[in-house]
Amino acid sequence: GGRACNGYYPCDEREGNAVNGIFVREKVVHCGKNFLCPEIYPYTGQQLEANRGGRRGKKKNVSAPAQKNLNDKRAKRYFVQLANSNFGRGDLVVHLSYAPEWLPESEEEARKIVARYLRRLAYLRKKRGLEPLKYLCVTQVGRKKNGTHRLHHHVLMNGGLDRDEVEALWWAVKGTRDQEAVMYGYANADRLKPGKLGIAQMAGYMVQDSAGKKHWTQSQNLEKPWHKTPNDWKYSRRQMDKVGKLSVDSEEFRAFWERKYKGWELVACEKSHQEEMGWYFYLTMQRVC
């Protein structure tokens, strides 16, 4: 029902959600139990027709990027969502580097080395009767101005092992009773200390822009961020124009979103505006304890 609005989409009789074939779509991404990432953005009738299908209310996993290359903004966002869905207090972040004499020749070789390290972790966890290893591993391939490689890794992993043990597994030559292990380089394991953004800041550090390429690998047992079918009727363009003009630091801005998502506290927001289309918001909200 409802009369056609420019032939694209039924008009919202109350507020005229669709104007010139453009309306406001809400997609709410759930990242584990404690984080919600609503994305509110302009959408066109043509896009709606092209993407019809799927039952209303059906739960869907967020689409992983085709290539896990962290130079891409959407891939970075997905990585942070994945990190917040799976890791928090009591888990570990491990930073791994190479001494000059052990520096891999290529990214492929580095990936093989870190894969062996992850297998050692998985084996030790199994031996201790701990739950299987869960991890996100970022490999960065950079180059210094003098032409030398700057390869290193960052690993997010579930807790349970002692930090010293985790660091000690970064060996190139295994130690024996008579001889100390020879390490690939520096290994530093820290306990995660989630803040208001969960571990988004640590995940953000792992994917921040820098020279060279960054890729990630992950264990298959991670909980994926998910969303239900997007809602095209919750917000009007008029509403978004009004809230978009508020400062993101203002009490009014925060209160607006916290009324819309009861039981959740706004902890971060990215917003932008396009003249033709309207306002875009990406919110990070934490469950109120």
Side-chain angles (χ1 to χ4, degrees):
R3 59 191 174 82
C5 190
N6 296 321
Y8 292 124
Y9 202 68
C11 280
D12 183 333
E13 297 287 345
R14 295 160 300 170
E15 293 192 85
N17 192 31
V19 179
N20 298 327
I22 298 169
F23 54 95
V24 179
R25 168 160 284 193
E26 176 213 41
K27 183 169 84 173
V28 181
V29 175
H30 296 253
C31 304
K33 292 176 183 169
N34 296 317
F35 289 91
L36 206 63
C37 293
E39 197 173 349
I40 296 105
Y41 53 97
Y43 206 71
T44 67
Q46 292 104 316
Q47 286 174 303
L48 180 76
E49 288 302 319
N51 293 302
R52 276 200 186 281
R55 281 203 322 276
R56 186 131 200 93
K58 191 178 177 186
K59 182 174 164 180
K60 298 179 185 174
N61 289 331
V62 176
S63 300
Q67 289 196 331
K68 292 174 177 175
N69 183 340
L70 291 166
N71 293 1
D72 175 75
K73 184 180 176 181
R74 279 215 164 267
K76 285 180 186 178
R77 180 172 290 167
Y78 179 80
F79 180 89
V80 172
Q81 290 174 350
L82 202 54
N84 254 345
S85 297
N86 289 279
F87 302 103
R89 193 169 302 284
D91 293 328
L92 297 174
V93 59
V94 191
H95 308 289
L96 305 167
S97 66
Y98 293 94
E101 62 272 24
W102 291 105
L103 197 62
E105 289 291 309
S106 64
E107 183 185 356
E108 188 182 359
E109 190 189 338
R111 283 205 297 258
K112 285 178 182 172
I113 291 170
V114 80
R116 286 198 294 271
Y117 171 73
L118 293 166
R119 282 197 295 274
R120 290 170 198 160
L121 286 170
Y123 175 76
L124 184 57
R125 293 184 69 86
K126 189 175 180 181
K127 195 174 163 185
R128 294 281 167 79
L130 296 169
E131 63 176 25
L133 176 68
K134 281 171 44 166
Y135 71 84
L136 272 170
C137 175
V138 174
T139 296
Q140 179 171 6
V141 191
R143 285 185 181 276
K144 289 186 176 175
K145 286 180 181 173
N146 63 7
T148 58
H149 292 285
R150 199 164 54 85
L151 264 160
H152 56 271
H153 311 276
H154 305 287
V155 181
L156 284 169
M157 59 171 282
N158 45 347
L161 291 173
D162 183 78
R163 287 186 301 165
D164 291 340
E165 291 180 303
V166 168
E167 292 169 357
L169 290 176
W170 185 234
W171 50 259
V173 180
K174 193 173 185 180
T176 65
R177 193 173 293 173
D178 306 316
Q179 203 167 357
E180 272 191 43
V182 179
M183 307 301 283
Y184 276 114
Y186 179 71
N188 182 41
D190 283 324
R191 296 239 172 265
L192 289 171
K193 299 177 183 72
K196 283 216 166 209
L197 289 165
I199 64 157
Q201 282 171 309
M202 175 51 71
Y205 162 73
M206 290 167 68
V207 300
Q208 71 188 358
D209 291 321
S210 60
K213 296 181 295 180
K214 286 191 176 193
H215 294 89
W216 91 81
T217 55
Q218 67 189 71
S219 55
Q220 294 305 302
N221 56 351
L222 295 186
E223 181 184 334
K224 294 182 173 59
W226 60 273
H227 64 88
K228 288 187 178 174
T229 306
N231 185 344
D232 299 327
W233 296 102
K234 185 166 181 172
Y235 297 108
S236 70
R237 293 187 79 198
R238 195 181 310 155
Q239 252 183 327
M240 294 301 94
D241 279 339
K242 190 177 171 187
V243 78
K245 287 167 185 165
L246 298 172
S247 162
V248 294
D249 298 322
S250 69
E251 181 62 28
E252 197 180 346
F253 184 87
R254 188 183 60 77
F256 174 84
W257 296 113
E258 290 179 3
R259 277 197 307 274
K260 293 292 182 184
Y261 304 99
K262 291 198 186 305
W264 298 87
E265 177 190 0
L266 180 67
V267 291
C269 172
E270 292 173 37
K271 70 170 183 171
S272 58
H273 183 261
Q274 282 185 326
E275 201 60 48
E276 295 290 312
M277 297 289 286
W279 287 94
Y280 169 90
F281 301 90
Y282 178 74
L283 314 172
T284 302
M285 309 198 78
Q286 185 181 43
R287 186 183 291 281
V288 176
C289 295

